[in-house]
Amino acid sequence: SALFYPAGINAMWNTSVIALALAAAPLTLTVGPLVTLNLLLVLAPVLSAWVVFLLARRYVRRLAAFVAGLVYGFSPYFVGQAVHLHLTFALFPPVLAAFLIEIVGVQRLPPKRLGLALGAAYGVQLLIGEELLASSTVLAAATLVVLALVRRDLVRQRLPYALSAIGVALVTVVVIDALPLAVQFFGPQRLHGVVQATHPGSDVLSLVVPTTLQVLHPSSGVVARVSGANLTEQTSYVGLPGAARRVERRGRARAANAGAAARATDRQAG
């Protein structure tokens, strides 16, 4: 292998962005890897923001969708991880959100076709970055659990479609990624034990207290509060306006649900 010659490396245990490397191979062979990497690093937040814009445009007006994409693609997360292509090429979270909306909400497309597309998205993302894949999956699973608890009346109705789509997706992922995962866990140069020491980059206050990634921030930031905090991982800032907006939207949703329940009760009584 030309990587880490002469011993070589296990590419699946490194941030190799294999899928992006293959897609950009013609450009790399023409102008070299440095130009390709810099171009991808520039395009990553832009493309990520664009995908969020496309998703949001289905539900809100163009200006609101534009703001959503802007907030996503140029958030503290992207600023903090600017040189980590496997993390900033973050098209997968909004793509996964679109799939979940279709699988558990709309259920308009054939479930097998939808599962095939979802599995392909998972398979490609695994070859871009497993960290983003894992965190997105955990968040998606938590969201599904909350939805099932909140709308228990719809679980039995929508479960067969969702299970069919997810089952096809799992099979598709196995077909695409069986070999890469076999190399990762059973191939040469595989890792054992703790890969990287834990250095927390944020705490609960980091959600609302600006860090050094923001222009205006307190002189005593997360580094002073958290022992061993990693300056490059301060990516959790949401801000008081963002947090207040989330609380306000949750309150509106609860009020709307309560109103709908009250109207349904009135109709039954009438």
Side-chain angles (χ1 to χ4, degrees), residues 214-226:
Q214 283 71 55
V215 175
L216 301 176
H217 61 272
S219 57
S220 177
V222 65
V223 177
R225 299 194 307 271
V226 181

Side-chain angles (χ1 to χ4, degrees), residues 43-83:
L43 289 177
V46 177
L47 292 176
S48 301
W50 179 61
V51 174
V52 168
F53 167 79
L54 294 178
L55 175 61
R57 187 67 184 88
R58 299 168 60 183
Y59 307 103
V60 298
R61 295 181 179 180
R62 182 176 296 272
L63 179 59
F66 175 80
V67 172
L70 194 67
V71 170
Y72 178 78
F74 300 93
S75 62
Y77 168 84
F78 283 86
V79 175
Q81 306 291 348
V83 297

Side-chain angles (χ1 to χ4, degrees), residues 191-257:
L191 299 186
H192 303 276
V194 178
V195 177
Q196 183 177 355
T198 301
H199 295 292
S202 60
D203 57 4
V204 176
L205 287 178
S206 298
L207 294 172
V208 293
V209 178
T211 69
T212 53
L213 295 177
Q214 283 71 55
V215 175
L216 301 176
H217 61 272
S219 57
S220 177
V222 65
V223 177
R225 299 194 307 271
V226 181
S227 176
N230 187 344
L231 289 174
T232 63
E233 303 294 344
Q234 298 179 24
T235 56
S236 57
Y237 178 70
V238 174
L240 286 174
R245 176 61 176 162
R246 283 166 173 76
V247 172
E248 185 263 344
R249 289 187 63 182
R250 182 173 297 179
R252 283 190 178 185
R254 288 180 177 176
N257 291 335

Side-chain angles (χ1 to χ4, degrees), residues 91-139:
L91 282 64
F92 182 72
V95 168
L96 179 59
F99 276 116
L100 290 181
I101 291 171
E102 182 67 35
I103 289 174
V104 303
V106 181
Q107 296 192 342
R108 178 183 53 200
L109 300 174
K112 293 182 179 179
R113 184 186 306 174
L114 189 64
L116 185 65
L118 175 60
Y122 257 90
V124 172
Q125 179 57 42
L126 186 137
L127 297 177
I128 295 176
E130 293 176 315
E131 183 175 344
L132 192 61
L133 179 74
S135 58
S136 300
T137 302
V138 169
L139 182 59

